[in-house]
Amino acid sequence: MTTEARRVLRGVSGALLALTLVLLATVPVAQADTIYPDNQVTGTSFDEGLDGWTEFSNQCVLLSLGDLELGIPAGPPVCDPHTGHSAGVGTPPGSLEQFSNQAVSATVLGSAIGAVRGTATALSPEFTVPTGGPATFTVDRRFAVEALLPLGIVTDAPVRFNYNFFLIDEASPSTPLTLDGDTVDIARNQDPAFTGHGPIVLPPDAVQSGHSYRIEVTTTFSANPETLATVIAALYTARAQYDNVRLRVADGTPTFGPATAVTEDATDITGTSATLHGSTNAQGLASTYDFRYGTSPTDLSQRLPASPPDFNAGTNIGSQERSRPVSGLTACTTYYFQIEAQNAENAENMPSLGGIKTFRTNCAPSATTLDATGVGPNAVTLNSAINPNGSDTTYFYEYGPDTPAGGTTFTNRVPLLAAGNFPSIGDGNAVVQPNSTVIAGLTPQTAYRYRVTAVNAIGTTVGNIVTFTTSGVGATGPQGNPGTNGTNGTNGTNGAPGATGPAGTNGSSGPAGPAGPAGPKGATGSKGQAGVDGGTVANGDPRALIHIYGQSLIVPSKGRNIGRVRVKIFCRTVAVRTCSGAVKVRSLNPIQPQSFGFPKKAKRRVTFATDAVQLDVRKIGYAILSFNAQRRSVLKREKTVRSTVIVTVIDASNNRQNVRTVLPVRLGK
């Protein structure tokens, strides 16, 4: 039956149910009661340990001549009583087990000689009864004996069990109320079926409103004094197992009802698989659940499991998380799914349905080749815009000269790396650009073609072809002819030399003359170029083209901005005119890249998010990083991840740089 058919049937059944309620308005609500100590329909089932019950006390007494106690404590190995958990016995599997390894020396004509008596006592968790009322008590019980070392003549029934359940009112603990008790003789190694006992009707007013109670169980293991044969010696293990302990108080509370289901977001999405999530509430009754999915919200005909029976949803009261991996999906396809749950209170073939959720499997990347920038005579910057579409994506460029016919063989590729080492732009679902790569060694005044290719696990996408032409280098003009030399002027006549006079005496030094005027101001030097192309600098380095603000990244896990983080960036004055590039957040160390799904992947460095940035110099802007549900689930598991924030930036003069800082990334509110 399809989901749509079940919905139609549910509408008809709902109308019939409303009519039935009108006709039977005077009928009491079924199961209008509360079950203590844990309010499960089966009672305390011990399917997960002792469910809060605790071992209270253990005693061993040495006996002689019947029931005459010598008052001598006995201990291991002749007497060793305990309370524990038996995982394999019960419905559902699991029970509280009281057992003892004991010895009996002789039982002659009804008198136990040299025998021991062991007693084990356990207490339930304390519980408070808000509203008292008529009450009944029920328990499943089973007894068995395992002989460890029989010596001499051993009878068929050397062991006696005596058990008692008491209701202890914390207001008057010295006067417990007996709920159930019996003495059981059983042959050694006998293994009868687990049997229910009760319900036992308690006296009126046995359970009072507002009182707090505990249930106590005590089992005594001893030799059977009624055996007429002789037991010379025997070591044995006696086991008493109790399951589904339930004190039912008819207080008018409608406790148990139809199972409920809530659908939650899918995670671990790949091109062919995902993990579906939801939660169920069994409402105290044995329940099952499954997931339905398909490519249309009106036809969720595929199911997990592929065939009955459905998955076990337990009997708990309260929400229980459920998740199941689904494989064999088609890449780049939108899927719809919901969780379903059912128990005996649901109408036949009418499970409770969670809401319909949707997800899209990952796609091959989308890739667009952008115009080249920084075109010179011998070098150029190649650019592109790429969307990873959810899977870790790498890229490379191919280029070659443009032939007169408009074709090219794309004989060159950058970067020149092996296929597994191409630059990565992460696994986000937003366009990343410009993904700039500088190439050199080109021929001046030559037309070229180039294209980008993006690759991820889903497929390979080849971008469109873009052309550019390198600029020319101007030739030096010819040297002009030298001009003619001018004529020399005539020399004047030399005067007659005068006679040399005698040398005079030196005079004293005169005062210093005034300072001359200041010389003209020198010309201003040209502005220096920013850091070395292709280098990596730390955030805050004086050579850095940009500055990244912030001490940590807090990823919202709720609200309108779930998964969105703003990173504040400043374009520094050492850059020339503009700063453009890409922001990437990646784990510093290898971590597990997934939270669910099989098989488990190897640890690696995980790229959480990427975004583009474009700023003018001296301007502040923000990169908006989107952490998808898969990355948020990784952060939820890892708590805090030390990560690198790397901004690959290039300015208007083609100065290229990687600016790096390390910040903690964690999931917030």
Side-chain angles (χ1 to χ4, degrees), residues 37-60:
D38 51 7
N39 204 28
Q40 303 296 312
V41 69
T42 57
T44 303
S45 59
F46 307 103
D47 55 345
E48 296 181 3
L50 290 178
D51 291 334
W53 289 60
T54 56
E55 187 174 48
F56 180 66
S57 67
N58 303 301
Q59 293 181 336
C60 284

Side-chain angles (χ1 to χ4, degrees), residues 255-309:
T255 302
F256 309 109
T260 61
V262 177
T263 311
E264 298 171 1
D265 292 336
T267 63
D268 301 325
I269 300 169
T270 70
T272 58
S273 65
T275 299
L276 309 184
H277 293 272
S279 60
T280 62
N281 186 334
Q283 301 286 5
L285 298 172
S287 302
T288 60
Y289 76 95
D290 66 2
F291 285 95
R292 302 279 177 170
Y293 66 98
T295 56
S296 168
T298 59
D299 182 17
L300 306 182
S301 56
Q302 295 174 274
R303 66 188 302 275
L304 287 174
S307 60

Side-chain angles (χ1 to χ4, degrees), residues 6 261 276 280 288-292 302-306 309-313 322 324 338-342 351-354:
R6 286 198 296 273
L276 309 184
T280 62
T288 60
Y289 76 95
D290 66 2
F291 285 95
R292 302 279 177 170
Q302 295 174 274
R303 66 188 302 275
L304 287 174
D310 293 340
F311 299 115
N312 182 7
R322 310 295 181 191
R324 289 289 170 180
Q338 67 183 164
I339 190 173
E340 302 177 353
Q342 185 164 5
S352 299
L353 303 176

Side-chain angles (χ1 to χ4, degrees), residues 557-575:
S557 61
K558 296 181 180 179
R560 182 175 58 184
N561 293 320
I562 184 170
R564 291 168 60 87
V565 177
R566 298 200 313 169
V567 177
K568 185 177 179 181
I569 297 175
F570 173 65
C571 183
R572 302 182 69 242
T573 56
V574 298

